[in-house]
Amino acid sequence: SAAQSPRSIAVKMAEDSGYESVICVKPEVHVYKIPPRATNRGYRAADWKLDEPAWSGRMRITARGKVAYIKLEDRTSGELFAQAPVEQYPGIAIEGVTDSSRYFVVRIEDGNGRHAFIGVGFVDRGDSFDFNVALQDHFKWVRQEGELAKQEAIHSAAPKLDLGFKEGQTIKISIGNIKKKDGPPGSGKSRLGNSGLLPPPPGAKGAGVPPPVAQPAQPPRTAALLDLGVVLPPTQPSGGAAADLWGDFAAAPSSSSQDAVSSGWVQF
């Protein structure tokens, strides 16, 4: 069908062409003849003759579509000794014993409808772990494929929604919260110009830089001398006023200390 996944298509092609994928290989296993089950509690490996295996060789686990195959083959020639198809795990094709994790009871078939139960044992405990994991991973994938196929079937059976526009159908989009600009274009910051100053009002003459502000006149230096009690002569209008201001001080003889005391400069 059109809803199949690529993996499902590949599995279908493998089933049609007979292609088998190898999922696990163990170089050494032993096969035992097992007595009939005495009770419903299960098989016990201790009841087998573990030191006298009926056959020894390699094990190869392959997968063809959804079915796994346990193949017991000769180590050298690869000749098939026995084969066990496994359609479900855990299931009737493979059953573990009650007293060990290295031994299993396997249901083999000859392809003509006949079957038999044999005991299979691994030399190493890690080999039996790999045997379990290989089968578990395969049938986990089988379950996932089954769930995926169900979902695809439900999806294909559901009516599809037609979200396209019909002929002549239009839509209207309303966009809110858009503020309009006040005033004509070019208003706002452009009025300030490059200098950042507002232009003068209409009708104003001589627009430009404002006149400088007048600074207050500085008091004459003679005010500081008046605080010392020194009487100065009247200010002369000529340019030698500064020289007359200190005239008495410059004319005072350095040897007359009494006149200096009476003039007040020693106190200063």
Side-chain angles (χ1 to χ4, degrees):
S1 63
Q4 287 182 339
S5 64
R7 179 69 183 272
S8 299
I9 295 175
V11 170
K12 180 64 176 176
M13 293 176 62
E15 291 176 349
D16 295 340
S17 62
Y19 173 76
E20 286 185 343
S21 61
V22 180
I23 59 178
C24 183
V25 176
K26 292 303 171 184
E28 185 176 4
V29 295
H30 301 299
V31 174
Y32 303 93
K33 293 181 179 180
I34 59 175
R37 182 185 304 189
T39 62
N40 293 330
R41 294 181 179 180
Y43 293 96
R44 296 177 68 251
D47 298 336
W48 309 345
K49 296 180 180 180
L50 299 180
D51 55 344
E52 298 179 3
W55 180 88
S56 296
R58 74 178 181 188
M59 173 187 286
R60 212 161 47 96
I61 303 176
T62 63
R64 184 188 304 165
K66 298 179 180 180
V67 181
Y69 295 87
I70 300 175
K71 296 185 177 184
L72 303 175
E73 301 171 340
D74 185 80
R75 294 193 189 97
T76 306
S77 63
E79 181 182 359
L80 181 65
F81 171 75
Q83 176 176 273
V86 183
E87 298 180 357
Q88 184 180 0
Y89 184 76
I92 60 173
I94 302 174
E95 183 179 351
V97 298
T98 59
D99 57 347
S100 177
S101 62
R102 296 189 293 116
Y103 298 93
F104 300 86
V105 176
V106 179
R107 185 178 184 265
I108 59 175
E109 296 182 5
D110 62 356
N112 296 323
R114 295 180 300 178
H115 66 272
F117 291 93
I118 60 174
V120 176
F122 295 93
V123 177
D124 186 70
R125 196 177 302 275
D127 292 340
S128 64
F129 176 80
D130 295 340
F131 171 78
N132 267 310
V133 171
L135 292 173
Q136 289 173 359
D137 289 346
H138 172 73
F139 287 100
K140 179 181 179 181
W141 169 81
V142 171
R143 289 191 297 270
Q144 291 176 349
E145 285 294 313
E147 293 295 331
L148 182 61
K150 290 180 182 178
Q151 293 178 3
E152 291 176 348
I154 294 173
H155 179 72
S156 60
K160 297 181 179 180
L161 296 177
D162 186 9
L163 302 178
F165 286 101
K166 304 299 186 294
E167 184 178 358
Q169 185 179 5
T170 59
I171 61 173
K172 182 179 180 182
I173 300 176
S174 177
I175 303 176
N177 298 329
I178 297 180
K179 297 182 179 180
K180 296 183 179 180
K181 296 182 179 180
D182 297 334
S187 60
K189 292 184 178 180
S190 60
R191 294 181 180 180
L192 300 179
N194 296 330
S195 62
L197 300 176
L198 292 174
K205 296 180 179 181
V209 181
V213 181
Q215 299 294 333
Q218 297 293 335
R221 294 183 177 180
T222 56
L225 298 176
L226 292 176
D227 293 339
L228 301 174
V230 179
V231 178
L232 299 176
T235 306
Q236 298 296 329
S238 63
D244 295 338
L245 179 63
W246 298 98
D248 293 342
F249 178 76
S254 59
S255 61
S256 178
S257 60
Q258 293 180 357
D259 294 339
V261 172
S262 61
S263 63
W265 286 102
V266 176
Q267 295 177 359
F268 174 78

